[in-house]
Amino acid sequence: MRSFIYVESANHFPIQNLPYGVFLREGKSNEPRVGVAIGEYILDLSVLEKEGYFNETPIQNEKVFSECSLNKFMSKGHEAWQAVRNVLQKVLHEDEPKLRDNQPLREQAFVLQKDATMLLPVEIGDYTDFYASKEHAANVGTMFRGKENALMPNWTHLPVGYHGRASSVVVSGTDFHRPQGQVKPADATTPIFTPCRQLDFELEMGCFVGPGNDLGEPVSVDNAEENIFGLVLVNDWSARDIQAWEYQPLGPFLAKNFATSISPWVVPLAALEPFRVAGPKQEPKPLPYLQTSKPDSYDIKLEVYIQGDKMEKRQLLATSNYKHLYWSIAQQVAHHTITGCNLNAGDLLASGTISGPDKESRGSLLEIAWRGTEPVELENGEQRSWIEDGDELTITGWCDGDGYRVGFGEVKGRVLPAKENLLGSSKQEKVTAHS
Ligand code: CA
């Protein structure tokens, strides 16, 4: 299948993908619109909607694409998403003249991605962060508790997760200041107030919930995927030193609430279908409500790059794959809702750090530099145990098809120095004195 819009074989956005995003056109209008990426372009769906292109679908007579988020479209459900996707794949097909030969409409409907600003695509009500990679959980457990107790006894029986913070989820390209907080150095008896000294990234992917479920009505593991609109790349920034002091007994709080970056294009599950694979064998067998009847993971190649402000180009830091995750999206949704908890359109469920079996596939600096004991050598002679001011992290991911790629683009974020006004010495003494 090919589009009349030229797409290079390594481009992430061929007609087989068609991810959704929300964008602003440069100059012309400041109204956000929903579009799909195709090659170097964005197809503005609000234009097609006005022209009646979706009149034969379940969203007929509704304006869902002149919106500042995907939420309205996401809430319409699986059948509506598939119907719109069918229209788009037909309209963009190289043999279909309707849009291809309508030059005035093409000029309105297509925007070069470089002439647009991508916005946060979803209004995120709730954000849940899982811990679904066995290799990541085992690496972290080994560092903090020793090899014998690497995995907690619950880990192989349920997808461990916690309720995160939705308000600080930001779109790729949003820089943020190094967080500050309470830290207790190993040789101190009381904590100090300081800029985070162990800032880290986490290579993750996240899925967005579609229509969701009513309070009191769990989603079964077999129906879970119909509730998922699509996937994005996630960098779940983490302050490891703040986390180490604060996390017991209720888990991470400030260590994870200052920034979580996501990629702007939401890749529909339908586009990932050709890349469906089985996840790792689950032993022991999960309880019946978590048992799945078909392969429920995806072969998505993942890469992480770092570029410090003294580096001329970015350097590869890690390579991993989504298929390494032990707990699948379907299992996460089934587990999340088994109590009757309601998920809403726009909720984000992140996977947790995706580490693989090799040293090269570790998905955080905590693991790559093994808690500071094996610093990473950078090409310009610098070393990294943790992320430094000015460092930009980029995560990219894609599926390899036959002569094409279904990709996620990138999620980027750069760390700025801590804000100075929080560091008054009197404030610092106060915090120390009261602890
Ligand atoms: Ca995380």
Side-chain angles (χ1 to χ4, degrees), residues 127 129-131 136 162 202 204 236 238 256 350-353:
Y127 162 37
D129 193 16
F130 284 93
Y131 196 54
H136 173 67
Y162 71 97
E202 289 187 332
E204 303 196 16
D236 189 29
S238 299
K256 304 270 192 178
S351 60
T353 306

Side-chain angles (χ1 to χ4, degrees), residues 189-426:
T189 51
T190 56
I192 57 169
F193 183 79
T194 173
C196 167
R197 297 161 178 181
Q198 297 182 349
L199 186 63
D200 202 356
F201 73 92
E202 289 187 332
L203 163 60
E204 303 196 16
M205 295 196 74
C207 62
F208 279 111
V209 174
N213 58 304
D214 292 331
L215 184 62
E217 301 293 333
V219 180
S220 75
V221 73
D222 289 328
N223 294 334
E225 286 180 4
E226 288 200 356
N227 261 287
I228 296 302
F229 179 73
L231 268 70
V232 290
L233 301 165
V234 177
N235 182 350
D236 189 29
W237 303 95
S238 299
R240 300 293 183 199
D241 45 358
I242 294 173
Q243 186 176 355
W245 172 231
E246 75 174 3
Y247 87 103
Q248 287 174 320
L250 288 187
F253 184 40
L254 307 189
K256 304 270 192 178
N257 78 351
F258 54 94
T260 301
S261 303
I262 66 167
S263 52
W265 293 109
V266 186
V267 174
L269 276 199
L272 299 175
E273 200 48 45
F275 309 100
R276 184 182 283 278
V277 292
K281 185 172 163 48
Q282 295 188 318
E283 190 59 54
K285 201 171 170 181
L287 288 169
Y289 81 101
L290 291 172
Q291 286 173 14
T292 50
S293 52
K294 60 174 182 180
D296 59 355
S297 192
Y298 300 99
D299 183 357
I300 306 171
K301 297 173 171 69
L302 297 165
E303 290 179 346
V304 185
Y305 292 86
I306 187 168
Q307 183 166 11
D309 56 9
K310 295 188 196 75
M311 293 168 70
E312 279 174 14
K313 56 181 175 59
R314 65 189 196 178
Q315 178 175 330
L316 185 66
L317 201 53
T319 54
S320 190
N321 194 304
Y322 185 84
K323 70 182 178 188
H324 296 317
L325 288 175
Y326 188 88
W327 294 105
S328 69
I329 292 171
Q331 291 174 319
Q332 290 167 20
V333 169
H335 185 64
H336 203 310
T337 61
I338 193 64
T339 54
C341 173
N342 48 333
L343 297 175
N344 292 309
D347 285 358
L348 174 63
L349 310 183
S351 60
T353 306
I354 307 170
S355 294
D358 316 312
K359 202 172 172 186
E360 293 71 32
S361 56
R362 294 173 180 170
S364 65
L365 259 180
L366 171 67
E367 294 159 88
I368 295 169
W370 209 254
R371 218 181 175 184
T373 59
E374 302 168 23
V376 179
E377 303 288 339
L378 300 181
E379 281 159 13
N380 68 350
E382 291 180 53
Q383 288 190 331
R384 286 291 184 282
S385 288
W386 306 103
I387 293 168
E388 296 190 2
D389 291 348
D391 285 354
E392 181 175 70
L393 273 286
T394 303
I395 297 173
T396 184
W398 71 92
C399 308
D400 272 323
D402 188 7
Y404 68 97
R405 280 180 169 180
V406 168
F408 290 80
E410 291 179 340
V411 55
K412 274 177 194 284
R414 197 161 54 104
V415 182
L416 307 173
K419 283 194 169 175
E420 276 175 31
N421 56 4
L422 294 184
L423 288 175
S425 57
S426 59

Side-chain angles (χ1 to χ4, degrees), residues 163-207:
H163 295 294
R165 184 75 197 167
S167 62
S168 53
V169 178
V170 295
V171 74
S172 176
T174 309
D175 299 337
F176 65 93
H177 291 275
R178 176 178 296 273
Q180 306 178 47
Q182 277 198 35
V183 165
K184 197 179 83 61
D187 53 358
T189 51
T190 56
I192 57 169
F193 183 79
T194 173
C196 167
R197 297 161 178 181
Q198 297 182 349
L199 186 63
D200 202 356
F201 73 92
E202 289 187 332
L203 163 60
E204 303 196 16
M205 295 196 74
C207 62

